[in-house]
């Protein structure tokens, strides 16, 4: 692998690693020597190689730091802040708890449920460029965080459904999502609107929703239906080699109990297209077994990610950056 600079990492391997169009996913970086496997050494290395590390993340879309014995949320936050990337507040349906500074729990929904593949905050006007995960307690079984090169989904959907893809792209997409007033951690989409918008005042929530590109309809039970659209089916990011990313959440929201996805003119999405898209996403997925102390960086512009069902305990923390 041709690195542009000499760095203090050893390139490793992990189960499930793939080469996609010449890119290693995930790129695994480990300490050169076991005695260097600690957070302070890692922070020193990152301080010297910030630009190189970001280039590797853009090139490979996922970078896994393994073997540095990261212990807790405080050390994880130090790693996040080492890069100087701006924080971005999470807006979405997943119930989360603030842990320390920029660190939150990942989705606190039941571990028995599969969290479907998505680009983080894909429907919001301002979404993170980077999602960083830290495994404090690896699950005894399952619980992987699978990810998918988004451009591969677009390529394959264009091969199989060229006319339908271009029709949806032309019309755009509209989504709806229903949220309760208060959070319900028994659901992986149980975040209440008061927590999501940081206010219990409906008028203020509407203002904040407008800024994020949402309309709202209040429900008799105190909940709210949010309406988002039109939104694109795919997005081209020139800083990602001009690749056309499958930058939507059609499969994850179409025909669900609390959400919907349709074309922006109100016409239905072809059921066979949605079904086949889900199959393609799964076929393109990449995953590995979490180990204690792992820190995983995702390029959110390039990857969809999810969560496999697992046995408890499992504790994965998250930070999102602009």
């Amino acid at each position: 692998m041709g690195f542009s600079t000499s760095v203090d990492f050893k390139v490793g391997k992990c189960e499930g690693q793939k080469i996609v169009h010449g890119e290693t996913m995930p790129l695994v970086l480990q300490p050169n020597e076991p005695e260097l496997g600690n957070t302070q050494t890692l922070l020193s290395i990152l301080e010297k190689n910030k630009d190189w590390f970001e280039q590797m993340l853009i090139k490979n879309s996922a970078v896994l730091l393994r073997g540095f014995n990261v212990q807790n949320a405080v050390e994880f936050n130090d790693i996040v802040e080492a890069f100087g990337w701006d924080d971005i507040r999470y807006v979405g349906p997943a119930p989360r708890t603030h842990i320390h500074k920029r660190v939150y729990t990942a989705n606190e929904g039941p571990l028995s449920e599969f969290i479907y593949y998505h680009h983080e905050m894909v429907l919001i006007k301002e979404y993170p460029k980077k999602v960083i995960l830290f495994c404090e307690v690896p699950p005894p079984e399952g619980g992987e965080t699978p990810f998918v090169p988004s451009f591969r989904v677009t390529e394959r959907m264009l091969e199989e459904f060229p006319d339908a893809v271009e029709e949806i792209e032309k019309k755009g997409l509209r989504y709806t999502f229903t949220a309760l007033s208060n959070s319900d951690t028994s659901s992986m989409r149980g975040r209440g609107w008061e927590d999501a918008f940081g206010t219990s005042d409906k008028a203020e929530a509407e203002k904040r929703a407008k800024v994020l590109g949402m309309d709202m309809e209040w429900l008799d039970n105190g909940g709210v239906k949010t309406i988002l659209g039109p939104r694109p089916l795919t997005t081209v990011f020139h800083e990602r080699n001009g690749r056309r990313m499958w930058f939507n959440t059609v499969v994850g929201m179409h025909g669900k109990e609390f959400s919907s996805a349709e074309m922006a003119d109100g016409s239905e999405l072809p059921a066979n297209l949605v079904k086949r898209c889900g199959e393609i996403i799964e076929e393109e997925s990449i995953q590995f077994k979490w180990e204690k102390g792992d820190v995983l960086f995702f390029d959110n512009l390039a990857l969809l990610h999810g969560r496999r069902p697992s046995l408890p305990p499992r504790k994965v923390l998250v930070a999102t950056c602009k």
Side-chain angles (χ1 to χ4, degrees):
M1 185 175 298
F3 292 150
S4 59
T5 185
S6 174
V7 295
D8 303 310
F9 289 114
K10 177 173 68 176
V11 178
K13 294 183 178 181
C14 68
E15 175 188 4
Q17 190 178 51
K18 291 184 181 180
I19 306 296
V20 181
H21 287 212
E23 299 164 10
T24 305
M25 297 186 185
L27 174 65
V28 181
L29 300 178
Q30 299 173 311
N32 277 325
E33 303 293 340
E35 60 268 22
L36 300 177
N38 59 78
T39 304
Q40 287 307 310
T41 298
L42 175 59
L43 290 171
S44 176
I45 293 171
L46 294 176
E47 180 65 31
K48 293 187 294 182
N49 297 285
K50 291 179 186 178
D51 292 342
W52 175 87
F53 188 93
E54 187 159 12
Q55 290 170 13
M56 291 301 100
L57 178 58
I58 291 173
K59 171 179 168 51
N60 297 283
S61 302
V63 177
L64 174 62
L65 297 177
R66 172 166 284 178
F68 288 96
N69 202 28
V70 182
Q71 292 293 305
N72 51 44
V74 174
E75 294 187 0
F76 175 47
N77 185 78
D78 289 342
I79 293 167
V80 173
E81 292 190 339
F83 293 94
W85 298 329
D86 290 335
D87 188 30
I88 185 168
R89 173 183 165 82
Y90 171 73
V91 177
R96 294 181 173 180
T97 299
H98 181 240
I99 301 296
H100 175 74
K101 292 187 177 179
R102 295 173 62 169
V103 177
Y104 290 75
T105 58
N107 192 319
E108 294 179 355
L111 291 177
S112 59
E113 295 187 36
F114 176 47
I115 297 174
Y116 198 73
Y117 301 97
H118 58 285
H119 290 274
E120 199 71 18
M121 294 165 55
V122 64
L123 301 182
I124 308 302
K125 285 185 176 179
E126 185 178 25
Y127 39 78
K129 289 186 176 180
K130 304 167 187 75
V131 176
I132 312 171
L133 300 165
F134 161 58
C135 181
E136 187 169 356
V137 180
E141 182 179 323
E144 298 90 351
T145 301
F147 58 94
V148 178
S150 193
F151 76 95
R152 285 290 300 139
V153 183
T154 305
E155 287 178 347
R156 293 187 59 184
M157 289 296 289
L158 282 169
E159 289 171 2
E160 297 191 28
F161 302 94
D163 295 337
V165 166
E166 297 304 348
E167 179 189 4
I168 299 168
E169 192 74 87
K170 182 178 179 180
K171 291 182 177 179
L173 292 161
R174 181 171 64 200
Y175 303 89
T176 67
F177 182 81
T178 301
L180 301 172
S181 177
N182 298 310
S183 297
D184 175 13
T185 56
S186 68
S187 169
M188 65 180 180
R189 289 182 168 177
R191 191 182 190 196
W193 65 262
E194 293 184 19
D195 181 35
F197 294 108
T199 181
S200 59
D201 182 86
K202 290 184 177 181
E204 181 61 28
E206 289 180 7
K207 289 179 184 178
R208 296 179 185 183
K210 279 290 185 185
V211 171
L212 296 169
M214 303 179 187
D215 292 318
M216 303 176 80
E217 291 180 3
W218 296 103
L219 306 176
D220 293 340
N221 65 0
V224 66
K225 176 190 280 190
T226 57
I227 304 159
L228 305 96
R231 293 288 190 273
L233 181 70
T234 65
T235 302
V236 175
F237 294 108
H238 296 290
E239 64 271 36
R240 301 299 184 268
N241 298 317
R243 286 173 169 166
R244 190 174 174 184
M245 306 298 185
W246 194 252
F247 213 67
N248 64 73
T249 183
V250 163
V251 180
M253 292 184 70
H254 179 263
K256 302 298 190 294
E257 182 180 1
F258 296 108
S259 66
S260 69
E262 60 187 10
M263 285 186 254
D265 66 355
S267 54
E268 283 292 321
L269 295 167
N272 65 322
L273 178 145
V274 177
K275 179 176 183 294
R276 180 59 184 142
C277 182
E279 294 170 350
I280 288 171
I281 288 172
E282 189 59 55
E283 289 165 8
E284 294 291 333
S285 67
I286 300 166
Q287 67 182 33
F288 62 90
K289 296 289 185 183
W290 281 113
E291 294 183 7
K292 180 176 174 58
D294 282 350
V295 178
L296 177 63
F297 291 72
F298 281 149
D299 180 354
N300 189 48
L301 304 188
L303 297 178
L304 305 112
H305 70 277
R307 187 196 72 188
R308 299 280 186 211
S310 79
L311 295 178
R314 179 188 189 271
K315 188 174 184 181
V316 174
L317 305 180
V318 64
T320 49
C321 305
K322 294 183 180 179

